[in-house]
Amino acid sequence: MKNIVRKSTALTLGLALVFGASACGRGEAAAEGAKATLAVSTLNNPFFVDLRDGAQAEAAELGIDLSVVDAQNDSASQANQLATAATDGTEGVIINAVDTETAEAGLAPIVSAELPIVAVDRSVGDTKVASFVASDNVAGGEQAAKALAESLGGKGKIIILEGVPGASATNERGEGFTKGLKEFGDIKVVSSQTANFDRAEALDVVTNLMQSNPDATGVLAMNDEMALGAIQALGAKAGKDVKVVGFDGTEDGFKAVEAGTLVATIAQNPAELGKQSVQILAKAMKDEAVEEVVQVAVDTVNTDNVADYVTK
């Protein structure tokens, strides 16, 4: 009888190990069939389009039904979208906030529904999230400032193009800019103004600022879209009389580096941000432990290494 019990126990344990190994082999796929929402600040920006695409590709791989909503840079719209998500069967939310502070109120229905939240690229105030997935914006801002200052030989007058006021990316990149410029005492910031991460708005802002600061020799932009708008405004001066540095590492940004109109861009990997956000949310929806902060590395891309990044 003891032998029979031992054999039965061994068989049970063996089956458990087989099924356990099978489940582990599926990894995050155990979340298959789950419904999630990705709330994006705007899809009128190639960076966030890439982020969405990376998230969708990973969701498809894991069998997660991912709904994407676009706030078009409007906090009220994002709040409404989140309120809808809280009642439509969504089991978890990834948010790329329009505004860091107002996101807290917008996420209240998600918090009340006790759904896991992953913030991506921008923080969400004091709202408790399962994880915050972002590039190291402070380090990237410092790298951008140094790249511009060095291209100017350590001296000159520059214009800073800020992002959406209140967004954590704006605050953190600004902090990095300040750090990076500290060691260059002969660099003077003659104007710092928002263009809301928008190319068309940056074109207008730089056109106006260059009229009032005709001796400016550099533009430091908090994203590639604004840098590209600045290049349009500068025309033949871009890359020659006026150096421009961007941030994000978009395809258009890489092409501008190749063309010589953009000195450098700080390359994030938006598709990787989207992918990792979905992977982490999949774990959070299963009550698995996840890292509170996940930072994706950034790189300075210039003429020396742009060929490694641009898509031919």
Side-chain angles (χ1 to χ4, degrees), residues 185-263:
D186 292 328
I187 296 285
K188 180 183 178 182
V189 178
V190 294
S191 184
S192 185
Q193 187 170 323
T194 184
N196 290 302
F197 289 133
D198 184 77
R199 188 184 302 200
E201 190 169 342
L203 190 159
D204 291 338
V205 169
V206 173
T207 297
N208 293 332
L209 289 179
M210 287 302 296
Q211 288 175 353
S212 54
N213 301 280
D215 54 349
T217 55
V219 176
L220 188 54
M222 290 188 179
N223 78 340
D224 281 351
E225 284 295 284
M226 293 190 297
L228 292 166
I231 288 169
Q232 285 181 270
L234 293 167
K237 291 183 178 181
K240 296 176 182 177
D241 301 325
V242 183
K243 307 295 186 181
V244 183
V245 170
F247 197 122
D248 276 349
T250 62
E251 194 66 22
D252 284 349
F254 295 147
K255 289 177 180 176
V257 171
E258 276 195 317
T261 53
L262 190 64
V263 169

Side-chain angles (χ1 to χ4, degrees), residues 42 64 78 103 132 158-159 178 217 236 278 308:
T42 177
I64 295 173
Q78 189 163 68
F132 175 40
I158 69 169
I159 291 166
T178 300
T217 55
V278 170
D308 298 331

Side-chain angles (χ1 to χ4, degrees), residues 23-74:
C24 289
R26 288 197 304 270
E28 286 86 353
E32 187 169 353
K35 186 176 180 181
T37 296
L38 169 61
V40 184
S41 59
T42 177
L43 289 175
N44 189 30
N45 183 322
F47 179 84
F48 295 118
V49 172
D50 287 348
L51 187 150
R52 176 204 63 189
D53 291 349
Q56 287 180 322
E58 187 63 15
E61 184 71 21
L62 300 180
I64 295 173
D65 179 9
L66 183 67
S67 174
V68 180
V69 290
D70 175 10
Q72 298 183 344
N73 273 332
D74 184 77

Side-chain angles (χ1 to χ4, degrees), residues 21-308:
S22 175
C24 289
R26 288 197 304 270
E28 286 86 353
E32 187 169 353
K35 186 176 180 181
T37 296
L38 169 61
V40 184
S41 59
T42 177
L43 289 175
N44 189 30
N45 183 322
F47 179 84
F48 295 118
V49 172
D50 287 348
L51 187 150
R52 176 204 63 189
D53 291 349
Q56 287 180 322
E58 187 63 15
E61 184 71 21
L62 300 180
I64 295 173
D65 179 9
L66 183 67
S67 174
V68 180
V69 290
D70 175 10
Q72 298 183 344
N73 273 332
D74 184 77
S75 295
S77 293
Q78 189 163 68
N80 290 334
Q81 290 165 348
L82 291 168
T84 299
T87 59
D88 72 355
T90 287
E91 298 167 59
V93 169
I94 299 169
I95 177 172
N96 163 243
V98 171
D99 178 85
T100 296
E101 299 306 322
T102 59
E104 189 173 347
L107 281 166
I110 304 298
V111 173
S112 295
E114 299 183 346
L115 302 177
I117 301 166
V118 172
V120 61
D121 188 58
R122 300 173 183 173
S123 61
V124 289
D126 293 328
T127 299
K128 182 173 177 56
V129 297
S131 185
F132 175 40
V133 183
S135 300
D136 191 337
N137 282 306
V138 176
E142 192 170 354
Q143 289 169 227
K146 288 182 177 180
L148 181 63
E150 288 169 1
S151 75
L152 294 172
K155 59 183 179 180
K157 297 179 179 180
I158 69 169
I159 291 166
I160 291 178
L161 295 178
E162 302 170 11
V164 174
S168 60
T170 299
N171 299 335
E172 291 162 7
R173 291 175 195 181
E175 180 184 344
F177 286 178
T178 300
K179 285 185 176 181
L181 292 172
K182 268 185 180 178
E183 62 183 86
F184 299 95
D186 292 328
I187 296 285
K188 180 183 178 182
V189 178
V190 294
S191 184
S192 185
Q193 187 170 323
T194 184
N196 290 302
F197 289 133
D198 184 77
R199 188 184 302 200
E201 190 169 342
L203 190 159
D204 291 338
V205 169
V206 173
T207 297
N208 293 332
L209 289 179
M210 287 302 296
Q211 288 175 353
S212 54
N213 301 280
D215 54 349
T217 55
V219 176
L220 188 54
M222 290 188 179
N223 78 340
D224 281 351
E225 284 295 284
M226 293 190 297
L228 292 166
I231 288 169
Q232 285 181 270
L234 293 167
K237 291 183 178 181
K240 296 176 182 177
D241 301 325
V242 183
K243 307 295 186 181
V244 183
V245 170
F247 197 122
D248 276 349
T250 62
E251 194 66 22
D252 284 349
F254 295 147
K255 289 177 180 176
V257 171
E258 276 195 317
T261 53
L262 190 64
V263 169
T265 178
I266 305 305
Q268 302 184 85
N269 190 335
E272 184 65 20
L273 288 173
K275 176 182 178 180
Q276 291 199 30
S277 296
V278 170
Q279 289 176 343
I280 291 167
L281 184 65
K283 291 180 180 179
M285 289 192 294
K286 295 183 294 175
D287 293 323
E288 293 182 7
V290 296
E291 292 183 61
E292 290 184 7
V293 177
V294 176
Q295 289 193 325
V296 178
V298 296
D299 298 302
T300 300
V301 179
N302 53 31
T303 53
D304 294 333
N305 61 353
V306 68
D308 298 331

